[in-house]
Structures are given as structure tokens and as C-alpha cells.
Amino acid sequence: MSKNRLTVKATDEGLAKAKMALKRLHGTQLDLANNLTGLVGRSTIQKFFKGEEIQVDKFKEICKALTLESQWEAIAGLTDLPSSVDVPDNNLSESVKEVEDNSIDVDALVQEVREKVKLYIKERCGTMRVLDMTQPIGLGKIYTDVNIFEKITGRTRREIAELLQNFDVEDFDRSELSKVTQERVPGLQAVEQHSKLMVLGKPGAGKTTFLKYLAMQCIEGKFQEERFPIFITLKDFAESLKQPNILKYIAQQLSKCKVTDANLKTEQLLEQGKALILLDGLDEVREEDTKKVLDQVQEFSYQFHNNQFIITCRIAAKEYTFQGFTEVEVADFDPKQIATFAKNWFQSRKDPVKGKRFIEKLEENKPIQELATNPLLLTLLCLVFGEAGDFPANRSELYTEGVDVLLKKWDVGRNIERDKVYKDLSLQGKENLLSHIALTTFEQKNYFFKKKTVEEYIADFIRNLRNANTAPEALELDSEAILKSIEAQHGLLVARATGIYSFSHLTFHEYFAAREIKERFAWARLAEHVAQKRWREVFLLTTGMVRSADDLLKSMKHQIDALLAKDEKLQKFLVWAEQKSKSVEARYKPAAIRAFYQYLDLALDLALAIARAFDLALALDLDQDLRLVRARRALDRDLDRDLVLSRAIARALALDLDLDLDLALARAIARARDLDFALDRDLALDLNPELRRWLQQLNDQLPNRKDKKAYKQWWQENGSTWTEQLRAVMIEHRNISHDWQFTDAQKKLLDQYYNANKLLVDCLNSDCYVSREVRQEIEDTLLLPNADLKIGVGV
């Protein structure tokens, strides 16, 4: 053969000789590549050992490093190899074994190893114990199927306007804010579709649990039963004694499981692609070990490419890209997954009733439900609920615990030290930084913010720290590093698209905004937003955080009273309600009675405010009794009488404005029943004779309601006049059912007014400290007109 060839490749016999020399002199291809740095690249070495063509000069360099320089032509098949091999007998014996690999019963060997490692895998992967769990729990008892996004959410190219499409920042469904539009794929399906998978996810997303589940499924013969599972925590591997390579580390694991000839069998099975290799927690590797681990994993995946590889890592934790790996993201839990996990959790605790109640309470509390989309935080919620049978009345305490888990406990509990990019920031310092970002963005209605914007907020904060480098270039680099650390280490800020960030949950955004208000004692600043629905949770959380809520509640009351202060008609309405409430005898708080009568009169004018005023009455004092009224049971006489009569005219007015005659007919009949009800209960309601006479007269005008056709015809011709007559009777005899004729702007103002008062009462009733004097002062002055107002009540 010509010796002037440009490229050559090793023969099978030559490769056997080269592999023996590699093991004897270097150990692995990676070690050989490190020794040939600058002379031969890693990919060229890989091609050499795969028997592929490479350049002659590179071929000779490799042979030289293997002390086979004089035999390079024979290894390339250009001349015959010597009949004898100049290596020790034990290596020759090993070579003979390698040549005989093809005669091994691989399937039998796989089953042998599976049996040997089964107990180890079950011990290592069959249970979980996190946070404050007092004992491990079987993985199979609580595991919930994982879903995968095939595109990394934070790398999608979208603008903030797209994320906020069809989204009203003032009034919105909380669940829509963090909703991801891309399709979810079952985790097992993603594994089956890709032989090399990099599974990324936020802290607590369930990455490790997913790998443990795969290991258990494999060892139990339910998934890839033709392979045996290898579960490696990369942090443990990197810090292991004597720093073995991955091949030797796996062999050591198998040897501990009593696999004989572990070194030989490990390589034989890996060469045949018979392993499910699960590499967990790339982000948990110490900074000084990172390069070594990255290089070894990449090299190992090249060398034994026929196996199934799955690596887990936190999103944004590593910038290295593994060649040949497909990257996917663990999706947050959806409501179905949350319910499944909770059901399994409480069934494993032999308390399924509590599990059902957990789901019910979760659905009632949307801010807490948001946190449940993260499996780690869902576990925390289950632990808290399991102990107390309910969620804490003061939600800020629950959120504080959740933040503590993400900022500290989750890593500390597993002895993981993260890169201290912002080492000068204590735990409180991190919370202060997040609070600064939260309030700034919340006030600006920015639920999503540009990467550069949030880096500017970070720079503004850290420039005031002790020993801070305030040079613009240094601040820019430090703020970028801190943002990346917060995302990777804690997951409290997350990328929603390329260059666009938000808090991981709106709940945490609100929590940190409230914390900043508390730290600054900025009660007046917060009170300015009392009429804005989106601030509701911030108010409730702030009152739960402060030592005393007196000053905040007084600031809120002042702002609420100012809402209607300049509108004369609305002030007249409040004056009427005050006077009406004083005219009746009832055993309830005055503010509750005012709310009750405002509810009755607004029933004729403003449907939305009806609910607000009635809810406010319930919150103040009339809870059980007003619910009984809804069931038509007795209340104090004056209130009961006015409620029944008002329902009659409310139905009549609704009917008069209704264009759907079939629906109108049904309402007309219901109205007649209301009037009959009032009349039939003459003794109970103690109607005065004049009022009773008028009501009877109006009732007698109505046709037989059993004749629906006649009733409909009569109502079309006479309904409007009849309704006005009824209204006049109500006003004259009970001083209710006024036609206030509020404008749309006034209706909107009333809605804000009742929302704000309801919020104030909810804060009063929450688990916060309020002095007896301030509580009494607020309750006494709720829903009153301006004290200096001198106007009549004519309408």
C-alpha cells in the first residue's frame, strides 16, 4: 500500500492494541486528549477510536502518545502487525477478553446486573424526604406525572405586549398572568423520543423526583427493561475520593452492589448501550469542579453514545451546551396535577378527607393556589395544612416560609453551596433587594419587565452596599450576575421570554411589595391605591406583617371617605342611608344596617354595587342572619319587611327593562309571588293598614299568573305604570326604592367605594393587630357622609 496517503484509519486489530495501550497509559480518551492539547483535538481522538479516517499526522501523534509510534503503519493496516504483543500478560489476557466480547450473552448480563442493583436503586430512589418531613415517603405513593415543554420558556422570542395580550392590568384572572401557551408533553414521552436529554427546570420543579421515578420504573421492568439504571448525583461524583472518571465511578457503584468483575462488565454493557444513565443536579456541582464534570460528561456521552442519557439542571444555572443533547423544561403543575399530588399525599397519610378539604380550600384561595404549581411549594402547603387542618389566617406567614424555603432551606437541607456571586448580601439583603424590585415594578403596573430594566433596579440597590464597586462598568456586570443568581439559585425571578423577566408567582410579587411598604412605613403611599382592585392582596399582606395596623387602617379610611366627598348626589345617598338606618329598631351594628339599606336601594339602580354592599353588610355584622333572610326566614321586623318589599319592586323594574319576553314572564311571576309573600305575612311584618291597602290594591290589578299568555300581554301594556305606582308606595310608606338615577361615572365610583370599604373591613377582620379604639372608630364611621355636609335627602 502507498505510504503517501492523506488520511488513514485503524483496523479492528489495531484498535484492540490501541485500546489496551490507552487503558495502561492514560485511562480514558479525555485524559489522552488533555495530554495532546494543542496537537490533536478531542473529536479527532474520538474518530480514531471509532475506526474512522483521520489525517496521517494526527494518527501518528496518537500512536506516539500510546507508545505505538513505530507500529503506526501496522495499526493503520498498511503493514502487518507483529504476531506477538509487547505488553504484560495480564493486559494480553484483558485483550483476549475484549476480542471475545461478541460471544457474551449481553441480555443475561443485563438481567444479572439489574438483580444486583435493584435493592440499591430502591433504597436510593424509592423514597423522598424534603423540608420538615419527619420520615421518608414512598415515591410511588405520591408521584405525579411530569409534563415537559419542548421549548425553553425563557428562550422564546416574545415581547411584553404579546405576554399581556388581551390582559387588563387593573382587573384580571391571576392564573392568566403566568400561563404558558405552548403544548405540554408527558415526561416519559420526551425520554422515549430523545436518547440524550437535558431536563431543565426552576428550583423545586421536580427534576430529581422525575429521575428517581425513571430509575424505579426501569428497575421494576416498567420502562426500558432491556437496560439497567445508573443514578448519579453529580455533586457526589465530583467530590468523590481519588477523583475517578465516570466509567470507574459507575464500576465502583456496581462493585458495591456485589457485581463481580465490575470494571469489565460495566464497559461491556456500556459498549452495548445497555444503561439508562441518570445524571442529577449539574447545577449543584461546586464551581471549582464544574469544568472537570462538564468535560467528563460530554466525553462519556460521546464514548458510550448508544446508551440513554438524562441530565437535570436548574434553568440559567449553567451556560455550557452539551453536544447531542436535546434541552427541555419541566412544566409547572396544572390544576389536575395539583389535585392528584394532594390526593396521593393525604391518602399516604391515611387522611383522604383532609386531602379533599385541602383542594377545596386551595380553590377558594387563588394566591395560595398559585404557589401550588411548584411541586416543592405544594409539598410545603401539604405539610402546613396537614398539621393545622387549614391554611394560616395570616397568609404573609405562609409566604414568608415559602420564601425561606427557596432562599435558604432547600439548598441547606441538601448540603449544597451555591456560587456566592452576591456574597455581600445576607438573607435579609436578598429579601430587601427583591422587595425593592417588587414595589417599584408593581407601582408601575409592570408584571413583566425587561432584563436591562431589572438590572438597573439591582444596580441602584447594590451601589449603596458596603464595599460596593460603584464604577458603572462594575455595577453593570455585578447586576447582571446577581439577576442570573437569583433566577438560578432561588427561582424567585424567572425569564418569561428572551430578555423579559417577572416574579415566579404574582403571589411573591405582592408579598415582596407588601414587605417593602412595611419596611418603609409607607402607609399613605399604599393607601393611595385603596380603590384599585389589583392592590387588594398587598393591603391584606401588609396588615398581616406589621406590628400594629392602626396607622395603615386610618390612612385607608381617610382615602375611602375622600372617594365620594365631592359628589353631592352620592353624599345625599349616604345621608339617606344613615337616616333610614336610624329610623329602624335592630340589634346590629349601625354600619351593618347602613350597608343593608344601601344594598336594598342599589338593587334598583346598580347591580354590581348590590353585591358589594351586601357583602359588606355580611362582613360587618349580619352574616348568619342575612343568609337566613335569603332563605326567607325571620329577621328583625323592619329589616325583614323592607327586604321583602324591595325584592318585589326590584323584580318589577328588572322586568320592565327586559327585552326577552319569555324571561320577563318568569320574572313577572316571581315578582307577584314576592308581593303575595309580603301580604300573606301581614301579622309577622306588622304592615300599617294604609300600606297594606295599597299593596293589596296593586296586587289585585295583576291578572291570573297561571295564564302566562294573558300575563305577558298585560305586563307589556301596564307594567311600567304599575311599577312606578309600587315605587311611589314604597317611598311614601317605607322610604325605600328611590330612583337615584346615578350616572355611569357615579356607578363606577360607588363600585370603587364599596370595594374599598369591603377591603377595609377584611383587613379589620384579618389576623392582624388593631387597637380597640381604632377598630371602634372605623366601624362607627363606615359608610357615613361627610360630617360637615348640610344637605337634604330629596331625590
Side-chain angles (χ1 to χ4, degrees), residues 283-300:
D283 57 283
E284 298 171 2
V285 175
R286 295 180 305 189
E287 186 174 8
E288 59 266 32
D289 296 327
T290 297
K291 185 179 186 305
K292 175 188 71 175
V293 171
L294 292 174
D295 288 344
Q296 289 214 28
V297 170
Q298 183 71 83
E299 172 63 26
F300 188 74

Side-chain angles (χ1 to χ4, degrees), residues 64 167 412 609:
K64 180 179 179 182
F167 185 83
V412 170

Side-chain angles (χ1 to χ4, degrees), residues 174 367 395 399 510 534-542:
R174 300 176 65 92
R395 289 200 296 271
Y399 303 158
E510 293 164 333
R534 70 187 193 91
W535 283 85
R536 174 179 172 80
E537 281 299 309
V538 179
F539 277 96
L540 291 169
L541 290 171
T542 306

Side-chain angles (χ1 to χ4, degrees), residues 126 237 263:
F237 161 69
N263 290 333

Side-chain angles (χ1 to χ4, degrees), residues 149 151-156 158 163 178 180 182 202-203 315-316 329 332 447-451 454 483-484 486-488 491-505:
F149 291 138
K151 294 181 180 178
I152 309 303
T153 305
R155 298 178 193 167
T156 56
R158 304 176 70 189
L163 295 172
S178 57
V180 179
Q182 64 170 303
K202 297 188 282 286
I315 288 179
E329 177 183 349
D332 286 343
Y447 299 108
F448 302 100
F449 25 86
K450 294 279 190 181
K451 179 173 181 284
V454 72
L483 174 59
K484 182 179 176 183
I486 293 173
E487 180 185 10
L492 288 164
L493 292 175
V494 297
R496 297 295 186 185
T498 303
I500 298 175
Y501 281 78
S502 78
F503 278 86
S504 60
H505 303 83

